[in-house]
């Protein structure tokens, strides 16, 4: 990918499939999002998204040890070092299933972004789509927000509403939500970076 010195430099963190990372990478490649992806990081060596990222020629990094508070602190130091050496300004969470410590978040206030598959503050947590579906709400959706010290919390940048139709299944709802995520994340980052003078 050609280098653009004026573009915002972003790293993407994933834990699994990485379909949002894939969509963001495509948006960058297609010129829909002016950004430079410095690396894709994961807490899991087996995350299939890591292979997708490598296949796209992106630098990848593993930050795997989160088992105790001490390990987490060391891993977060490694992550900070990597952000610094790659001159990365923005940390984009895309299905990253670890909780960053308040100290880490404070260090990067306003520069960590997350996507969540519900209309926050409703249904935070790891099973948001299923929780909304089982609750029986008529509308759910997608939220993109800045990350603060609490989980799935922080200033909301954008939301999309998705109706839960009669006859909807968890599988059909999940597919609709992922499809929407893939559009909303790139559009929201474009807007965010343009407000900071980047796009
Ligand atoms: C997405 O639904 C995202 O909102 C949530 O985790 C899921 C990650 O999916 N935080 P993918 O790995 O991007 O396919």
């Amino acid at each position: 990918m050609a280098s653009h010195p004026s573009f915002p430099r972003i790293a993407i963190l994933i834990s699994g499939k990485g379909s949002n990372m894939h969509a963001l990478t495509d948006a960058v490649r297609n010129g829909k999002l002016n950004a430079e992806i410095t690396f894709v990081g994961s807490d899991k060596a087996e995350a299939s998204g890591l292979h997708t990222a490598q296949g796209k020629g992106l630098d990848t990094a593993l930050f795997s040890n989160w088992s105790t508070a001490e390990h987490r602190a060391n891993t977060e130091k490694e992550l900070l070092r990597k952000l610094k050496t790659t001159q990365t300004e923005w940390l984009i969470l895309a299905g990253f299933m670890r909780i960053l410590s308040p100290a880490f978040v404070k260090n990067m206030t306003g520069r960590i972004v997350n996507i969540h598959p519900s209309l926050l503050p409703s249904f935070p947590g790891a099973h948001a789509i299923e929780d909304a579906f089982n609750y029986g709400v008529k509308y759910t959706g997608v939220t993109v927000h800045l990350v603060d010290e609490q989980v799935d919390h922080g200033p909301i940048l954008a939301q999309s509403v998705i109706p839960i139709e009669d006859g909807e299944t968890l599988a059909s709802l999940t597919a609709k939500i992922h499809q929407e995520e893939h559009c909303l994340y790139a559009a929201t980052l474009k807007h965010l970076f343009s407000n900071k003078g980047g796009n």
Side-chain angles (χ1 to χ4, degrees):
M1 226 180 283
S3 177
H4 295 278
S6 64
F7 285 2
R9 295 172 72 76
I10 69 173
I12 304 174
L13 292 188
I14 62 168
S15 294
K17 193 152 56 97
S19 67
N20 281 287
M21 177 275 298
H22 183 85
L24 288 175
T25 311
D26 279 354
V28 167
R29 294 221 158 139
N30 298 335
K32 290 187 179 145
L33 174 65
N34 288 344
E36 188 88 27
I37 301 172
T38 53
F39 66 94
V40 174
S42 173
D43 60 317
K44 291 199 176 73
E46 68 276 17
S48 61
L50 271 185
H51 303 290
T52 311
Q54 281 155 4
K56 288 165 174 282
L58 293 166
D59 181 24
T60 57
L62 200 56
F63 302 97
S64 54
N65 202 343
W66 301 78
S67 56
T68 64
E70 195 189 339
H71 287 148
R72 178 172 79 167
N74 287 334
T75 301
E76 287 183 340
K77 270 187 207 148
E78 266 174 57
L79 175 56
L80 273 178
R81 264 198 301 275
K82 179 80 178 168
L83 292 169
K84 209 167 170 191
T85 56
T86 55
Q87 295 170 302
T88 304
E89 309 156 79
W90 295 91
L91 191 54
I92 309 302
L93 309 184
F96 184 64
M97 301 306 282
R98 298 283 173 181
I99 296 167
L100 296 164
S101 70
F104 183 94
V105 172
K106 211 165 167 207
N107 212 341
M108 290 198 67
T109 301
R111 290 184 294 129
I112 309 177
V113 189
N114 185 42
I115 188 160
H116 184 78
S118 77
L119 293 174
L120 289 174
S122 294
F123 307 111
H127 308 287
I129 304 176
E130 200 175 344
D131 291 347
F133 183 79
N134 289 339
Y135 194 95
V137 292
K138 298 296 179 196
Y139 294 91
T140 185
V142 176
T143 302
V144 179
H145 65 100
L146 292 174
V147 171
D148 70 8
E149 284 91 343
Q150 295 174 54
V151 177
D152 294 330
H153 193 270
I156 290 174
L157 299 172
Q159 290 186 307
S160 289
V161 176
I162 293 172
I164 300 182
E165 315 280 357
D166 291 343
E168 189 87 57
T169 63
L170 181 58
S172 65
L173 178 63
T174 301
K176 282 201 293 197
I177 286 192
H178 288 324
Q179 197 180 7
E180 181 56 31
E181 284 187 321
H182 299 161
C183 299
L184 188 69
Y185 215 177
T188 307
L189 291 179
K190 183 182 168 68
H191 189 67
L192 177 67
F193 298 156
S194 70
N195 286 341
K196 309 268 175 188
N199 271 250

